[in-house]
Amino acid sequence: YWVGDGYCDDPKYNKEACDWDGGDCCQATCTMPDGSECDNIVFDCLDPTAADYGASSNCTAAAPSWIGDGYCDNNLNADDDPEYNNPACSWDGGDCCADTCVEDTYDCTADFYCTDPDSPDYGTNNGITDPGATDPTSDGNLLIIIIVVVVIVVVVVVVVVVIVVLKNKTKTVTADSPVRAAHQSRPTTMIQSVTVDDVTFETGASQGQSADI
């Protein structure tokens, strides 16, 4: 299905056993299924018999058929660079600017993200966001999120430990109170002197008790 369709596909097709993707990967041998000339801008000619053997394009989009199909592909590649919407790929074959988009598989009614400086629509954004600009799970943002979560967890743990310690101290003070009260309520001995017939007697009695003579 992909061999000989006019687009240089995955390397597994661009080999001798598949006739170098049916000739699709060399500009000198590529033809569209209807016999017309290929306008594919992605090529990697590995056919040693082709006139342009060894030539390759600067555009390395994974799915060349997406270029110029009437839909703006603003995907990022493994290096976080635009895979289709870049100068080498002619800004996705013009798909990402309203004034350069040409209807093909799609009708150019989807969102645009125009980064072609030669386009009068340059800088306009009709709904598509930069896929790397606001991603909350990007490395920097993810690190910040992790740090915030760790700080929150540590604060919660510290608060819980403080509450537990305070509760234990309160229980200890409450448990000691009856002992102190009992200690404070112990009777005290009062010494009284009584003189009878010029003889002095000292008597002792606990507080709250009467001294007997």
Side-chain angles (χ1 to χ4, degrees):
Y1 177 76
W2 304 107
V3 175
D5 64 347
Y7 298 98
C8 181
D9 299 302
D10 191 281
K12 67 182 179 181
Y13 300 104
N14 190 14
K15 57 186 181 181
E16 185 176 8
C18 295
D19 193 25
W20 315 106
D21 196 22
D24 292 339
C25 292
C26 297
Q27 289 181 306
T29 58
C30 182
T31 56
M32 297 301 289
D34 61 3
S36 61
E37 183 179 352
C38 287
D39 57 2
N40 179 21
I41 62 174
V42 180
F43 55 90
D44 183 20
C45 188
L46 302 179
D47 181 0
T49 64
D52 55 342
Y53 171 64
S56 61
S57 63
N58 292 324
C59 180
T60 57
S65 60
W66 291 10
I67 298 174
D69 63 351
Y71 184 92
C72 178
D73 301 292
N74 199 43
N75 312 51
L76 297 183
N77 60 22
D79 297 323
D80 288 337
D81 295 321
E83 186 172 4
Y84 299 87
N85 192 12
N86 59 57
C89 296
S90 299
W91 315 106
D92 195 25
D95 290 339
C96 292
C97 297
D99 70 305
T100 57
C101 186
V102 178
E103 292 186 13
D104 191 75
T105 305
Y106 301 95
D107 56 8
C108 292
T109 58
D111 295 329
F112 297 102
Y113 190 78
C114 187
T115 54
D116 180 0
D118 295 327
S119 169
D121 293 331
Y122 173 70
T124 60
N125 179 355
N126 182 26
I128 293 181
T129 57
D130 185 341
T134 57
D135 184 2
T137 61
S138 63
D139 291 343
N141 290 332
L142 184 59
L143 179 60
I144 293 174
I145 292 173
I146 292 174
I147 292 174
V148 171
V149 171
V150 170
V151 169
I152 292 174
V153 170
V154 170
V155 170
V156 171
V157 170
V158 170
V159 170
V160 170
V161 170
V162 170
I163 292 174
V164 170
V165 170
L166 291 176
K167 283 186 176 180
N168 287 339
K169 285 186 176 181
T170 302
K171 289 180 180 179
T172 302
V173 171
T174 303
D176 288 345
S177 295
V179 176
R180 292 179 181 176
H183 178 72
Q184 293 172 356
S185 63
R186 290 175 58 187
T188 56
T189 302
M190 298 179 64
I191 305 299
Q192 295 180 346
S193 297
V194 179
T195 302
V196 179
D197 297 332
D198 296 327
V199 179
T200 301
F201 297 93
E202 291 186 353
T203 61
S206 298
Q207 186 176 0
Q209 296 180 344
S210 299
D212 296 327
I213 299 175

